[in-house]
Amino acid sequence: MTATPPGQGIQSKNRAAILAELDKEKKKLLMQNQTSMNNPGASIPISRPALNKDLRDHAEQQHIAAQQKAALQHAHAHSSGYFITQDSAFGNLILPVLPRLDPE
């Protein structure tokens, strides 16, 4: 019997949670589809997912901003280098700034 690496258990739980959420969304959409098929003249209900998504995105941005600030303060306190906050394609909250040296 092989032992699973410590990070793999967390990934497995995350995958299970995502699959459960997708399954729930699928059931919800199927129920909506059945309701609209039973009432063809019924109008499309006004939904608030876009509003909820906007609120969730705003809260996520505030959380990221707080994380960036904390990471920046920690880096400045514990390093002699200089760091900036910038969006990164790799998910880095802060990036080190390297000085440009003039070629001699």
Side-chain angles (χ1 to χ4, degrees), residues 17-66:
I18 291 170
L19 288 174
E21 186 177 335
L22 287 173
D23 190 43
K24 203 168 27 171
E25 188 69 25
K26 180 181 174 183
K27 288 179 182 179
K28 179 181 167 186
L29 290 172
L30 287 173
M31 291 292 288
Q32 286 177 350
N33 190 21
Q34 288 175 352
T35 303
S36 66
M37 294 300 255
N38 292 338
N39 299 325
S43 64
I44 298 173
I46 298 174
S47 62
R48 297 189 184 259
L51 179 62
N52 289 340
K53 185 179 183 306
D54 290 342
L55 290 174
R56 185 174 52 231
D57 288 346
H58 181 67
E60 185 176 317
Q61 288 298 324
Q62 285 181 336
H63 180 68
I64 289 172

Side-chain angles (χ1 to χ4, degrees), residues 72 75-76 79-86 94-101:
L72 191 61
H76 283 151
S79 174
S80 61
Y82 184 72
F83 298 86
I84 60 168
T85 59
Q86 182 176 343
I94 59 173
L95 299 174
V97 177
L98 301 175
R100 292 186 184 182
L101 301 175

Side-chain angles (χ1 to χ4, degrees), residues 7-22:
Q8 193 172 8
I10 295 170
Q11 288 178 347
S12 177
K13 288 179 184 180
N14 289 342
R15 287 183 187 142
I18 291 170
L19 288 174
E21 186 177 335
L22 287 173

